[in-house]
Amino acid sequence: MSRFIDDVYGSAYYPSTMRLQSVDTHLVVALHALLQERSVTRAARRVGVTQPSMSHALSRLRAHFGDPLLVQVGRKMTLSERARDLLPRAAEAVERLEHVFGQAERFDPRRSTRTFRLVATDNLELLVLPPLTRILAAEAPHVNLRCRNIPPDFAELLRRGELDAKLGRGGPVPDGCRSTQLAAEQLVCLMRRGHPASRKALTAARYAACEHLMISPHGEDHNVIDQELAARGLRRRVTLTVSHFLVAPFILSGSDLLLTVSARVAVALARRLDLVVRPCPLEARGYTLTLVWPERSEGDEGHSWLRAAIERAVACEPVAGLGEAGGPPARGR
């Protein structure tokens, strides 16, 4: 912000700000800059004040909170625990003030140069990004996307405004976030053309007798499939686990391994490497693809456009082609 908050308010009094009478409210901007930059010099440059002025602001903030906020560790400054707690709230406070005092601009996808930051697993990147890229090219040619893997602290990054959305499996919605369901996924089996299991109806017993490939981002060697098999008195051999979805089809195409995966992913991969998709003979639960975003972005026109574009991108990839011409083999027990 080019002006501090006290420049706007002056000495005006409002009943709702009684608790702020003892606080120089321009310190909100200084606090946000200091916590983001973790450097007095960089924070001063970001806000547009001198380094001594920012150093003085830090001293006042430390006195107010009774906490060092920035702590010297080696040659770097790191955030105290109190500062980590303050960071998302300071970011939200500054953003709200900018919305209040800044000039409102309508989001025009054809002219916007905005950059959106997403996190997703690689299978969802495969499903969503190709159609989403086509939507961007047609409707928002100057908008940029930055997509990365899902970090453990994605919820905090969403709340802090460092991420715009997370694509992934359904689960508890983090505090301060909202979500919507994109699609329900069913599980199917994927194998190379000519695989012995592709020639007959795939019963649970035949399924268990196959050697299996498993996608295991976190290193597990069993999942809900194994629980379902155990309930039937069956057990499979997981010959190989890999951490990424996109390596799996190349392994399948040159082996007799079988992969159990969501139908949308299976169809997308089968098209590219001449693989065969068969119904899964187990009644294992599928999962729901969801989109999660920070509550603070709910009313943002650009963010609303992005969410709608992602939903359209998912709808562009219907689940079709399960099995070959003439229909898939009957499901067996």
Side-chain angles (χ1 to χ4, degrees):
M1 291 171 54
S2 59
R3 300 177 63 187
F4 286 133
I5 306 307
D6 57 345
D7 292 332
V8 178
Y9 280 103
S11 59
Y13 167 77
Y14 296 92
S16 63
T17 63
M18 290 182 64
R19 288 180 296 176
L20 296 178
Q21 285 182 318
S22 62
V23 178
D24 187 351
T25 50
H26 81 269
L27 291 177
V28 175
V29 179
L31 174 64
H32 178 239
L34 286 163
L35 299 186
Q36 285 279 346
E37 299 294 341
R38 305 185 188 190
S39 163
V40 172
T41 301
R42 291 195 300 271
R45 188 182 304 121
R46 175 172 177 165
V47 173
V49 300
T50 64
Q51 194 270 352
S53 295
M54 186 57 69
S55 182
H56 179 62
L58 177 58
S59 297
R60 295 176 64 189
L61 288 165
R62 284 170 166 168
H64 175 80
F65 290 108
D67 187 271
L69 300 178
L70 296 180
V71 181
Q72 188 79 35
V73 177
R75 293 187 175 183
K76 296 183 178 180
M77 300 292 283
T78 188
L79 300 183
S80 68
E81 288 301 317
R82 182 67 188 279
R84 292 180 186 277
D85 180 61
L86 288 169
L87 181 56
R89 289 186 282 170
E92 182 175 2
V94 169
E95 183 177 25
R96 288 182 181 275
L97 290 169
E98 288 175 336
H99 281 311
V100 170
F101 296 106
Q103 292 187 355
E105 294 184 4
R106 301 300 300 270
F107 178 79
D108 182 353
R110 293 197 172 275
R111 301 180 62 183
S112 176
T113 59
R114 189 165 171 180
T115 296
F116 293 103
R117 291 173 171 80
L118 312 177
V119 292
T121 53
D122 61 341
N123 61 321
L124 288 181
E125 290 178 337
L126 172 69
L127 293 177
V128 177
L129 293 187
L132 183 58
T133 300
R134 293 193 292 271
I135 292 173
L136 290 177
E139 302 176 18
H142 306 296
V143 166
N144 305 305
L145 288 181
R146 300 290 182 265
C147 194
R148 52 174 285 202
N149 64 314
I150 303 176
D153 61 343
F154 78 88
E156 181 182 352
L157 296 176
L158 285 170
R159 289 190 291 264
R160 281 173 16 196
E162 296 181 32
L163 291 177
D164 291 293
K166 174 241 182 188
L167 287 160
R169 293 193 180 200
V173 181
D175 292 339
C177 297
R178 295 193 178 184
S179 74
T180 189
Q181 295 185 357
L182 297 174
E185 290 287 6
Q186 66 183 93
L187 297 178
V188 297
C189 299
L190 190 62
M191 64 197 77
R192 69 171 177 83
R193 188 173 300 279
H195 190 292
S198 68
R199 300 177 186 137
K200 298 180 181 179
L202 191 59
T203 64
R206 290 188 181 123
Y207 174 91
C210 293
E211 295 187 8
H212 293 258
L213 169 65
M214 178 176 161
I215 311 296
S216 179
H218 305 294
E220 306 91 344
D221 57 7
H222 62 279
N223 57 23
V224 66
I225 293 293
D226 300 281
Q227 297 171 13
E228 177 69 20
L229 285 171
R232 298 166 180 250
L234 298 170
R235 183 177 180 181
R236 67 172 177 168
R237 178 191 173 195
V238 176
T239 304
L240 176 64
T241 66
V242 294
S243 57
H244 300 288
F245 283 85
L246 298 187
V247 70
F250 297 96
I251 296 172
L252 293 179
S253 65
S255 72
D256 278 341
L257 298 182
L258 185 149
L259 175 66
T260 305
V261 69
S262 75
R264 290 173 187 270
V265 172
V267 170
L269 297 179
R271 291 172 184 160
R272 290 161 174 78
L273 284 176
D274 194 28
L275 301 174
V276 176
V277 183
R278 291 287 184 261
C280 180
L282 306 176
E283 297 177 355
R285 297 187 306 274
Y287 58 88
T288 302
L289 302 181
T290 63
L291 177 65
V292 180
W293 66 92
E295 199 171 76
R296 58 207 288 270
S297 299
E298 182 70 15
D300 182 279
E301 286 187 345
H303 205 281
S304 296
W305 180 89
L306 173 68
R307 297 196 300 270
I310 290 173
E311 291 184 8
R312 288 159 54 200
V314 173
C316 285
E317 294 294 330
V319 179
L322 296 184
E324 302 180 294
R331 183 188 296 261
R333 296 277 178 175

